[in-house]
Amino acid sequence: MRVSIIGTGYVGLVTGACMAQMGNSVFCVDIDRKKIENLKRGIIPIYEPGLEPMVVENFRLGTLKFTTDIKEAIDNSEICCIAVGTPMGEDGSADLQHVLEAAGDIGKNMSRYIIIVNKSTVPVGTADKVRDVVRSELNKRKVEIPFDVVSNPEFLKEGAAVEDFMRPDRVIVGADNPKALEKIKELYSPFTKSHERFISMDVRSAEMTKYAANAMLATKISFMNEIANICEKVGADVNKVRVGIGSDSRIGYSFIYPGCGYGGSCFPKDVRALERLATENKYAAKMLKAVQEINDSQKLVLAHKVIKKFGKDLSKRIFAVWGLSFKPETDDTREASSIAIIRELIRHGAKIKAYDPKAMNAAKNYYFKGIEGIEYADSKYAALSGADALLLVTEWKEFRSPDFDEIARRLKNKIIFDGRNQYNKEKLNEIGFEYFQIGVGE
């Protein structure tokens, strides 16, 4: 099939590369000329396992093309996917500016029937707005060209996006026209061949499914962190509690690991947007509000443990931080717990020596740009030298089984604050470490 993707960010690039991998002819279009030129040279703007070789190979084969010319992309496609960003507005709602601009561009340039697919995460009712914008542009041109608008939300996990796309748990498609639905089903058939994972529904329900899924996962995280905080108060061990409740098949083990809270580009934005959507429709989403409040406070739990141990004046203290990205296997630091933790420690006068396998450039050049007191180390052990304690914030694989003798040699004090409960408390205590976890009574 001939497919165009408007937007070469995280969703657009993964979608384009994976569609091309299955033999489709794909045009990825973006207004950022530098990004497009870099992509043509094999320079990928994000880190995602497996993505770079897939992009490079399909560009070489000609199945994946990059352009800034929206007309060229639309002229060469029967399906056009909108995969632009929907940043959070000041009121918490999703900003649809880029989605509607893309819709306008489609209306200005389409010359025959086309299926417009909303892949961006958007509020319920967005398909209607896209349809109105396209129709308005066609009216300005005084032409009548049929088109359909379909909702096809993405469910990609950062760090496993390529795998998720190639072997999806489910493909959700909301369509009003059976003809459009069958066309999208055909597009996804190579990805769902071994198991029937294609789920069709009306457009509004498909739009809602994406928000509901992310809100549910965020709720599980905040719930477990709430339990962790109660465990600390009553002297229980949340790690054991997690195993106890996870063994119940109705609950399961996914997303019930206690930690420093959720972050990234999806959960924070989508939970806020869903709460805002509820408010706009005169419903108070109390649970969603609580999920966000718990998460905001959870991001500071590790920093507060440090302050409790070392005091409020940290002006003579240096802390090593392992992990800056919001989760492993990505360079995405948007709304990462590390940002809240490091800023809180610096506010109390501390200096930071940070290390992350992939996210240091983003942190250095954006989130901590201009902030004094942060040094970036070349390796996890280099970050430890001269530090008063180690803070584990992101559970990258290379942090799972470190050399604790080497940690002890480099740290001033044998103290670890573990925001992801990765290590064995008894074993660390046996070799002389003070070890602080989330949700374990001291």
Side-chain angles (χ1 to χ4, degrees):
M1 287 189 173
R2 293 172 293 117
V3 181
S4 59
I5 315 282
I6 301 178
T8 57
Y10 183 84
V11 174
L13 191 56
V14 171
T15 300
C18 292
M19 289 291 185
Q21 183 72 10
M22 289 302 188
N24 297 290
S25 176
V26 181
F27 265 88
C28 285
V29 60
D30 202 290
I31 60 173
D32 188 333
R33 291 185 178 276
K34 184 178 180 181
K35 181 190 283 188
I36 291 297
E37 290 306 313
N38 282 340
L39 285 167
K40 289 179 179 179
R41 294 197 296 267
I43 301 172
I44 310 301
I46 57 174
Y47 172 72
E48 183 63 40
L51 180 60
E52 183 176 338
M54 188 178 285
V55 169
V56 171
E57 177 65 8
N58 282 285
F59 180 73
R60 183 186 70 79
L61 293 172
T63 53
L64 182 61
K65 303 176 182 68
F66 299 104
T67 183
T68 57
D69 187 342
I70 185 78
K71 189 176 190 314
E72 178 187 21
I74 291 174
D75 284 346
N76 286 280
S77 60
E78 52 197 310
I79 297 171
C80 181
C81 300
I82 298 176
V84 296
T86 52
M88 184 174 59
E90 290 183 5
D91 61 357
S93 62
D95 186 344
L96 297 178
Q97 174 187 348
H98 304 306
V99 171
L100 299 181
E101 285 175 355
D105 287 337
I106 295 169
K108 291 172 186 175
N109 291 282
M110 61 187 286
S111 58
R112 60 182 181 277
Y113 173 76
I114 196 168
I115 299 172
I116 302 167
V117 179
N118 271 339
K119 288 204 71 68
S120 300
T121 302
V122 294
V124 175
T126 299
D128 295 335
K129 295 179 180 179
V130 168
R131 190 178 293 108
D132 290 344
V133 169
V134 174
R135 190 171 288 122
S136 174
E137 292 298 334
L138 292 175
N139 289 339
K140 290 177 186 177
R141 294 168 56 193
K142 298 181 179 179
V143 295
E144 288 189 15
I145 304 173
F147 66 95
D148 282 298
V149 180
V150 168
S151 176
N152 172 219
E154 54 82 18
F155 297 95
L156 307 177
K157 299 187 294 290
E158 292 192 47
V162 172
E163 178 70 17
D164 284 349
F165 201 104
M166 299 300 286
R167 297 177 180 82
D169 292 328
R170 76 284 206 200
V171 175
I172 303 290
V173 176
D176 297 327
N177 186 342
K179 174 185 174 183
L181 181 64
E182 285 305 309
K183 196 74 172 176
I184 301 301
K185 190 171 186 177
E186 182 184 347
L187 177 66
Y188 276 104
S189 61
F191 302 97
T192 59
K193 211 158 228 178
S194 58
H195 295 89
E196 182 51 61
R197 302 179 186 276
F198 193 91
I199 303 171
S200 61
M201 58 185 70
D202 63 277
V203 174
R204 286 184 171 239
S205 295
E207 291 171 334
M208 187 63 178
T209 298
K210 170 64 175 180
Y211 275 128
N214 280 352
M216 171 60 82
L217 297 175
T219 299
K220 290 185 74 174
I221 293 170
S222 283
F223 172 80
M224 204 62 208
N225 284 330
E226 186 90 295
I227 294 298
N229 295 333
I230 297 171
C231 283
E232 287 196 19
K233 297 292 186 183
V234 301
D237 185 336
V238 73
N239 301 303
K240 296 173 182 177
V241 174
R242 177 184 62 79
V243 174
I245 67 172
S247 60
D248 186 328
S249 61
R250 297 170 300 175
I251 298 172
Y253 291 105
S254 297
F255 289 85
I256 62 167
Y257 288 82
C260 303
Y262 61 77
S265 62
C266 293
F267 288 6
K269 174 175 69 72
D270 293 352
V271 174
R272 289 173 195 145
L274 185 54
E275 186 197 4
R276 179 65 187 177
L277 181 65
T279 301
E280 289 173 353
N281 286 274
K282 297 179 172 55
Y283 179 79
K286 297 175 184 178
M287 181 178 287
L288 296 179
K289 185 176 181 180
V291 166
Q292 295 170 78
E293 290 175 349
I294 292 167
N295 193 61
D296 290 342
S297 62
Q298 194 69 22
K299 289 182 177 182
L300 293 173
V301 165
L302 206 63
H304 291 162
K305 287 179 179 290
V306 173
I307 293 166
K308 182 179 178 182
K309 171 66 180 175
F310 289 97
K312 291 183 179 180
D313 182 3
L314 301 176
S315 58
K316 295 181 181 180
R317 302 293 184 179
I318 300 172
F319 297 103
V321 173
W322 282 3
L324 297 172
S325 58
F326 86 94
K327 63 180 285 189
E329 302 301 330
T330 180
D331 59 353
D332 192 347
T333 54
R334 284 174 287 186
E335 303 228 24
S337 303
S338 62
I339 298 172
I341 292 167
I342 289 173
R343 285 179 174 170
E344 180 70 4
L345 295 178
I346 288 177
R347 190 173 72 84
H348 285 268
K351 288 183 169 54
I352 303 296
K353 297 180 72 174
Y355 170 73
D356 187 284
K358 296 293 179 182
M360 287 201 290
N361 284 337
K364 186 189 307 183
N365 298 323
Y366 186 73
Y367 293 101
F368 298 121
K369 186 177 182 179
I371 297 179
E372 296 182 358
I374 306 178
E375 178 184 336
Y376 299 91
D378 295 330
S379 71
K380 62 179 182 284
Y381 294 124
L384 302 174
S385 298
D388 290 280
L390 164 63
L391 281 71
L392 175 62
V393 180
T394 311
E395 64 277 29
W396 285 90
K397 288 179 182 177
E398 70 172 271
F399 301 151
R400 289 184 183 176
S401 298
D403 184 338
F404 289 107
D405 290 335
E406 183 66 17
I407 293 175
R409 280 194 293 270
R410 289 179 179 260
L411 286 177
K412 286 182 182 177
N413 311 293
K414 294 167 71 172
I415 302 174
I416 297 176
F417 295 90
D418 186 351
R420 300 298 173 183
N421 292 6
Q422 292 290 290
Y423 307 136
N424 185 292
K425 182 179 178 70
E426 287 74 21
K427 288 183 179 179
L428 283 177
N429 290 160
E430 285 176 9
I431 57 176
F433 275 90
E434 284 187 79
Y435 181 56
F436 300 89
Q437 292 178 287
I438 302 290
V440 180
E442 300 168 12

